[in-house]
């Protein structure tokens, strides 16, 4: 029997090629993350080559940070890699790049593990692994190099976020925003008091970089960039962080020699500090620390100007060429007015610009002032005249007046040229021998008048000169415009659509609540924000009504797909609403009302192939709102109650809120409101509640309460199906 040949092990480069191919697969299809991550864990351990460990640590950080995985998939993935991650972090001789990626992976994993332990307190092993990882990272933090310290600061920020109470107003990031308020009382593993105390100590350690006025710009900038989300979502830390930032002096290095390196460091720290404070003012203008923050920003701006604006500084005395001659020649004479030197005009004809030009600088004389915008030129003129000395202005006026007087006195009146008697024509011939008198009878007055009547009209001399001048020019034609290709037309359409939203930045909000005029209101009746938004929604919904078709259209050669102008406006209106969707919920309702009205007109027009937009954009808006919704967002209920039509797909979107325990009540309360206040969609809403009861175990108690009242017998029927059907103790999921 022939023995099989031994398999040759793959080299490191060949393994990296296979690993890169696996990475491409998961980027195309995220469902393979779990399988590939578990497959690479044995080859990226501490005993593996450093190249494989670098790739593996980087891939783990990428896998834990991807938004493509659901919360449940990410929890399963995180729990499976904790042991490998712990071995990489605890290795005392680990490579710096491997350590960077491992710490970033741990930062992404910490909140997921805390959420996992909250709902699965029996899995003590996962909590022990993450505690060991946290201890190792905190030990590394003090002695590591700067890049590793930055990763440690990021990890500490995620720990503070997970171990402090949230305000409940920020986005939940699909349930990944874990906070101390999610831990129930009496949890067997997690003690909220100990976790909050540890978070306070870590926050103080994180802020020590600012409290010590560190000159390491990388650490300072990294710390400042990570403080914004803590201030916004963790109110218990905002005052402490803000006071530390206000006491931090980013211009401390200005006392040392101003080398180019120090200048770059000072500019970086000052700008990062100023941007953070400006962000705080913009996010919360009514904060009690707002006056102090504004004063600190002004102080930073003035100090930076004093340090870096060297052009405004006077030279030192020793640098002046006349320093050795004493101060006698540089004494300022109070009250002395400098004399303005106005050069006389050159001989010959002069233009009006030359008469009023006072400077002798050729560059200024050649400058085309018409290129300066009128508003900018007017501001410059006003400021220049306001700071101009009155005596200098009088000298300039007198100089211009003298030039005009000189021009008037030097102008010589036009006289006919003097003709020489010897060369001038006499108008008569010298030879009078051929003179023959006219013996014809002279014309009488009547004959002369008849000739004048029949003669062509005389042309004035000015008109005759003009006709003679324009005659040889011929007919003038403008050149034909360049051809407009579809791609250019599409780009111009996008620019046009974006400019429609420009007035919204300057238009004021309506003064108070006013009664809506209905669907037939005039869009341009008042020049305010509501009127302009009505105009935008009409352009998006009615501008191409009756002109669109889903049928096949004859396409030219090399024709590319283009987006219609109304769809461009719809996309920009969608982004405008999502920027501040809680305050702009009325705009979303008005837009969908216009879309629904336009769809109804389209259906009545008997255009079977015309597209309908209401359902598409209503689903997009609901998806956008739900991704940022919190338990306090009752505006979502108001939005669904006011839009003109609800479908099973629209109400089915509320099921995704039940994946987060904090938003289960919002979803079911919204559906209860639909059942009670919108009878046409009562059955659709109850079907959605039933689907939630079947799919989400955390939502069953509240969903069962509503089903018992409005759909009695449903729960008993499902239990009967379970007992008589599969028998595994879980309700059958409706399909």
């Amino acid at each position: 029997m022939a023995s099989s040949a031994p398999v040759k092990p793959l080299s490191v480069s060949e393994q990296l090629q296979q690993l890169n191919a696996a990475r491409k697969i998961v980027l195309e299809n995220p469902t393979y993350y779990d399988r590939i991550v578990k497959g690479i864990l044995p080859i990226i351990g501490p005993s593996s080559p450093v190249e494989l460990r670098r790739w593996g640590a980087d891939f783990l950080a990428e896998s834990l940070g991807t938004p493509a995985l659901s919360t449940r998939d990410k929890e399963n993935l995180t729990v499976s890699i904790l042991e490998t991650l712990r071995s990489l972090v605890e290795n005392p001789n680990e490579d710096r790049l491997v350590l960077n990626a491992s710490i970033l992976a741990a930062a992404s994993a910490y909140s997921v593990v805390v959420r996992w332990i909250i709902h699965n307190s029996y899995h003590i092993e996962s909590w022990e692994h993450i505690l060991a990882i946290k201890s190792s990272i905190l030990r590394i933090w003090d002695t590591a190099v700067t890049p590793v310290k930055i990763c440690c600061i990021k990890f500490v920020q995620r720990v503070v976020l997970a171990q402090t109470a949230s305000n409940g107003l920020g986005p939940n990031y699909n349930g990944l925003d874990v906070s101390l308020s999610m831990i129930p009382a009496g949890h067997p593993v997690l003690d909220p008091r100990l976790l909050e105390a540890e978070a306070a100590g870590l926050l103080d350690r994180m802020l020590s970089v600012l409290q010590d006025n560190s000159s390491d710009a990388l650490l300072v900038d990294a710390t400042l960039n990570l403080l914004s989300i803590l201030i916004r979502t963790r109110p218990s830390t905002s005052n402490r962080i803000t006071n530390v930032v206000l006491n931090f002096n980013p211009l401390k290095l200005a006392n040392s020699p101003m080398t180019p390196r120090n200048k770059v460091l000072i500019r970086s720290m000052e700008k990062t500090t100023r941007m953070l404070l400006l962000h705080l003012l913009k996010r919360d203008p009514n904060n009690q620390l707002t006056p102090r923050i504004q004063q600190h920003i002004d102080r930073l701006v003035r100090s930076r100007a004093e340090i870096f604006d060297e052009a405004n500084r006077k030279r030192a005395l020793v640098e002046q060429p006349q320093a050795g001659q004493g101060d006698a020649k540089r004494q300022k004479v109070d009250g002395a007015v400098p004399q303005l030197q106005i050069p006389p005009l050159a001989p010959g004809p002069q233009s009006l610009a030359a008469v009023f030009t006072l400077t002798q600088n050729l560059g200024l004389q050649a400058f085309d002032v018409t290129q300066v915008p009128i508003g900018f030129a007017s501001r410059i003129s006003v400021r220049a005249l306001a700071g101009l000395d009155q005596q200098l202005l009088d000298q300039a006026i007198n100089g211009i007046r003298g030039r005009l007087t000189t021009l008037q006195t030097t102008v010589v009146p036009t006289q006919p040229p003097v003709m020489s008697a010897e060369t001038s024509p006499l108008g008569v011939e010298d030879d009078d021998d051929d003179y023959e008198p006219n013996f014809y009878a002279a014309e009488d007055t009547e004959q002369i008048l008849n000739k004048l009547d029949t003669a062509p009209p005389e042309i004035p001399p000015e008109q005759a000169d003009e006709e003679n001048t324009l005659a040889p020019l011929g007919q003038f034609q403008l050149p034909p415009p360049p051809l407009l290709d579809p791609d250019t037309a599409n780009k111009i359409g996008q620019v046009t659509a974006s400019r429609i939203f420009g007035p919204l930045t300057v238009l004021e909000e309506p003064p108070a609540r006013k009664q809506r005029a209905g669907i037939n209101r005039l869009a341009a009746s008042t020049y305010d924000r509501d009127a302009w938004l009505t105009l935008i929604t009409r352009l998006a919904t009615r501008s191409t009504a009756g002109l669109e078709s889903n049928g096949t259209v004859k396409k030219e050669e090399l024709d590319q797909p283009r987006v219609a102008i109304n769809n461009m406006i719809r996309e920009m209106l969608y982004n405008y609403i999502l920027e501040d969707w809680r305050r702009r919920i009325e705009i979303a309702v008005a837009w969908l009302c216009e879309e629904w009205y336009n769809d109804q007109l389209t259906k009545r027009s008997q255009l079977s192939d015309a597209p309908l937009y209401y359902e598409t954009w209503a689903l997009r808006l609901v998806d956008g709102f739900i991704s940022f919704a919190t338990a306090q967002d009752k505006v979502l209920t108001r939005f669904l109650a006011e839009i003109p039509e609800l479908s099973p797909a629209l109400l089915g979107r509320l099921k995704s809120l039940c994946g987060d325990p904090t938003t289960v009540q919002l979803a079911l309360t919204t559906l209860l409101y639909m059942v009670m206040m919108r009878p046409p969609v009562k059955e659709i809403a109850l079907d959605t509640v039933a689907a939630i009861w079947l799919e989400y175990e955390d939502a069953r108690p509240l969903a069962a309460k509503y089903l018992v009242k409005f759909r009695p017998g449903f729960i008993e029927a499902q239990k009967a199906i379970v007992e008589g059907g599969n028998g595994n103790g879980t309700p059958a999921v409706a399909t």
Side-chain angles (χ1 to χ4, degrees):
M1 181 176 179
S3 60
S4 60
V7 179
K8 182 180 179 180
L10 297 176
S11 63
V12 175
S13 60
E14 292 174 345
Q15 293 182 20
L16 289 177
Q17 291 179 359
Q18 294 182 357
L19 292 175
N20 290 329
R23 171 178 282 174
K24 292 181 180 179
I25 293 175
V26 297
L27 291 177
E28 295 175 358
N29 190 354
T31 57
Y32 290 103
Y33 264 114
D34 183 69
R35 189 182 310 172
I36 292 179
V37 168
K38 293 179 180 178
I40 67 171
L41 290 180
I43 64 174
I44 62 172
S47 60
S48 302
V50 66
E51 293 83 1
L52 295 180
R53 297 203 309 273
R54 288 177 180 176
W55 190 95
D58 184 64
F59 185 72
L60 292 181
E62 177 184 332
S63 302
L64 295 179
T66 180
L69 295 177
S70 63
T71 304
R72 182 168 300 178
D73 293 338
K74 191 166 291 189
E75 287 178 351
N76 297 332
L77 185 66
T78 303
V79 172
S80 64
I81 68 173
L82 286 177
E83 185 176 357
T84 303
L85 201 61
R86 177 179 178 179
S87 63
L88 293 176
V89 174
E90 290 181 344
N91 188 2
N93 300 321
E94 190 56 83
D95 180 69
R96 181 176 63 83
L97 297 179
V98 177
L99 203 56
N100 283 352
S102 302
I103 295 174
L104 292 179
S108 301
Y110 190 83
S111 58
V112 179
V113 174
V114 172
R115 179 185 175 88
W116 169 261
I117 296 299
I118 290 174
H119 299 94
N120 304 276
S121 58
Y122 63 89
H123 205 273
I124 306 297
E125 185 180 357
S126 299
W127 185 242
E128 292 177 351
H129 283 317
I130 200 65
L131 288 180
I133 293 172
K134 179 167 64 173
S135 300
S136 300
I137 293 175
L138 296 179
R139 185 177 62 254
I140 294 170
W141 190 4
D142 292 330
T143 59
V145 294
T146 299
V148 179
K149 285 185 177 180
I150 293 175
C151 298
C152 295
I153 294 173
K154 176 62 178 177
F155 175 80
V156 170
Q157 184 233 20
R158 299 303 294 268
V159 173
V160 175
L161 281 173
Q163 296 183 186
T164 50
S166 172
N167 57 3
L169 299 179
N172 59 7
Y173 299 105
N174 198 17
L176 294 180
D177 185 17
V178 180
S179 64
L180 201 65
S181 56
M182 296 178 59
I183 302 176
H187 195 277
V189 178
L190 304 178
D191 189 351
R193 295 174 299 175
L194 297 179
L195 294 178
E196 188 173 13
E198 183 187 18
L202 291 177
L203 179 61
D204 290 338
R205 187 174 174 185
M206 181 179 176
L207 295 176
S208 63
V209 177
L210 304 179
Q211 292 172 339
D212 298 340
N213 284 326
S214 174
S215 59
D216 192 339
L218 293 178
L219 292 180
V220 170
D221 291 348
T223 304
L224 291 173
N225 290 330
L226 294 174
L227 294 178
S228 175
I229 188 172
L230 289 174
I231 297 174
R232 187 173 70 251
T233 61
R234 301 297 184 263
S236 60
T237 64
S238 60
N239 288 334
R240 186 191 315 175
I241 296 174
T242 305
N243 289 325
V244 171
V245 173
L246 292 177
N247 293 327
F248 171 64
N249 181 19
L251 305 175
K252 180 183 177 182
L253 280 177
N255 298 326
S256 58
M258 293 298 291
T259 61
R261 178 179 181 275
N262 288 344
K263 289 182 179 180
V264 173
L265 296 180
I266 293 173
R267 289 179 186 272
S268 176
M269 292 188 291
E270 186 273 335
K271 184 176 181 181
T272 307
T273 306
R274 181 160 42 87
M275 289 299 102
L276 173 62
L277 295 176
L278 288 174
H279 174 73
L280 297 181
L281 287 181
K282 183 179 179 181
R283 294 286 302 185
D284 189 9
N286 298 324
N287 192 349
Q288 58 181 356
L289 295 176
T290 296
R292 186 180 172 189
I293 294 175
Q294 186 62 51
Q295 293 176 2
H296 190 71
I297 293 174
D298 297 339
R299 191 183 306 114
L300 286 178
V301 173
R302 289 195 303 269
S303 301
R304 181 181 179 275
E306 293 175 358
I307 294 172
F308 292 104
D309 293 349
E310 298 179 354
N312 296 331
R313 297 183 179 180
K314 294 183 178 180
R315 294 179 299 175
L317 183 62
V318 295
E319 297 178 1
Q320 298 182 5
Q322 298 178 353
Q325 301 178 7
D327 295 337
K329 294 186 178 181
R330 291 189 300 277
Q331 293 179 355
K332 182 178 179 181
V333 180
D334 296 334
V337 179
Q339 296 296 323
L340 186 62
Q341 300 295 332
I342 302 178
L345 293 175
Q350 300 291 335
S351 64
L352 189 61
V355 173
F356 285 89
T357 299
L358 301 180
T359 180
Q360 298 181 7
N361 191 328
L362 298 179
L364 292 177
Q365 293 179 5
F367 177 70
D368 187 7
V369 73
T370 58
Q371 300 298 325
V372 181
I374 297 178
F376 186 58
S378 62
R379 289 197 298 269
I380 293 177
S381 302
V382 170
R383 291 189 178 183
L385 291 175
L388 187 62
D389 187 83
Q390 182 63 35
Q391 298 184 13
L392 284 177
L393 182 61
D394 294 339
Q395 293 181 24
I397 294 174
N398 294 331
I400 300 301
R401 185 181 290 116
R403 285 183 175 182
L404 294 174
T405 304
T406 304
L407 285 177
Q408 292 176 357
T409 57
T410 55
V411 172
V412 180
T414 305
Q415 297 179 356
V418 180
M419 303 180 63
S420 176
E422 298 179 354
T423 59
S424 60
L426 298 178
V428 296
E429 298 181 0
D430 295 337
D431 189 5
D432 294 337
D433 296 339
D434 296 336
Y435 170 72
E436 294 181 1
N438 188 2
F439 295 104
Y440 296 99
E443 295 179 349
D444 57 3
T445 305
E446 185 176 357
Q447 292 176 341
I448 294 173
L449 293 176
N450 290 335
K451 285 185 177 183
L452 292 176
D453 293 338
T454 57
E458 293 185 2
I459 301 176
E462 298 81 1
Q463 185 176 354
D465 295 340
E466 183 178 356
E467 290 183 357
N468 294 334
T469 303
L470 299 178
L473 293 179
Q475 187 178 4
F476 176 73
Q477 293 182 351
L478 288 173
L483 296 177
L484 190 63
D485 59 291
D487 191 16
T488 305
N490 192 21
K491 293 180 180 178
I492 295 175
Q494 293 178 1
V495 174
T496 304
S498 63
R499 294 185 64 181
I500 296 176
F501 289 82
L504 294 178
T505 59
V506 297
L507 290 177
E508 298 181 355
E509 295 283 352
R513 288 184 175 270
K514 58 181 181 181
Q515 186 177 3
R516 298 286 181 176
I519 197 69
N520 293 321
R521 63 187 181 278
L522 294 177
S525 58
T526 57
Y527 192 69
D528 57 4
R529 186 186 293 266
D530 284 347
W532 193 254
L533 285 170
T534 304
L535 179 63
I536 291 176
T537 55
R538 298 277 174 86
L539 288 175
T541 57
R542 306 188 190 181
S543 59
T544 58
L547 303 178
E548 297 175 300
S549 175
N550 285 332
T552 58
V553 182
K554 181 180 179 181
K555 294 186 178 180
E556 299 180 358
E557 187 177 359
L558 298 179
D559 190 14
Q560 299 179 354
R562 296 181 296 275
V563 182
I565 185 69
N566 58 337
N567 289 331
M568 294 180 188
I569 299 176
R570 285 187 175 100
E571 189 67 34
M572 294 179 183
L573 184 59
Y574 169 77
N575 294 330
Y576 174 77
I577 292 173
L578 282 192
E579 287 177 359
D580 192 0
W581 67 278
R582 293 179 179 87
R583 296 179 56 191
R584 297 170 182 172
I585 202 73
E586 294 184 358
I587 303 173
V589 173
W591 175 27
L592 291 183
C593 289
E594 295 284 351
E595 293 285 5
W596 180 84
Y597 179 72
N598 182 59
D599 287 355
Q600 300 305 314
L601 294 180
T602 303
K603 293 177 182 178
R604 294 182 183 179
S605 63
Q606 299 180 355
L607 295 176
S608 59
D609 56 350
L612 303 177
Y613 294 101
Y614 171 78
E615 185 77 12
T616 302
W617 290 101
L619 289 173
R620 285 197 62 182
L621 283 172
V622 172
D623 290 339
F625 296 163
I626 288 177
S627 61
F628 298 102
T630 61
Q632 289 76 24
D633 286 328
K634 301 299 189 297
V635 291
L636 182 62
T637 306
R638 175 188 169 191
F639 171 76
L640 292 175
E642 293 185 359
I643 59 177
E645 185 176 353
L646 291 174
S647 64
L650 274 172
L651 292 181
R653 292 297 198 270
L654 294 176
K655 294 192 293 185
S656 60
L657 290 174
C658 298
D660 186 358
T662 61
T663 54
V664 170
Q665 186 175 2
L666 174 63
L668 292 174
T669 305
T670 302
L671 292 172
L672 176 64
Y673 187 87
M674 300 300 129
V675 171
M676 300 179 65
M677 298 299 176
R678 297 193 68 167
V681 297
K682 177 180 179 180
E683 294 302 322
I684 300 176
L686 290 176
D687 291 341
T688 307
V689 176
I692 291 174
W693 186 88
L694 292 172
E695 298 178 15
Y696 297 94
E697 295 183 1
D698 295 339
R700 283 187 179 180
L702 187 58
K705 177 181 177 182
Y706 298 153
L707 289 173
V708 169
K709 180 178 181 180
F710 294 99
R711 188 169 283 184
F714 173 81
I715 299 177
E716 291 77 4
Q718 292 297 323
K719 291 181 179 179
I721 293 174
V722 172
E723 294 174 356
N726 48 27
N728 55 7
T730 58
V733 179
T735 58

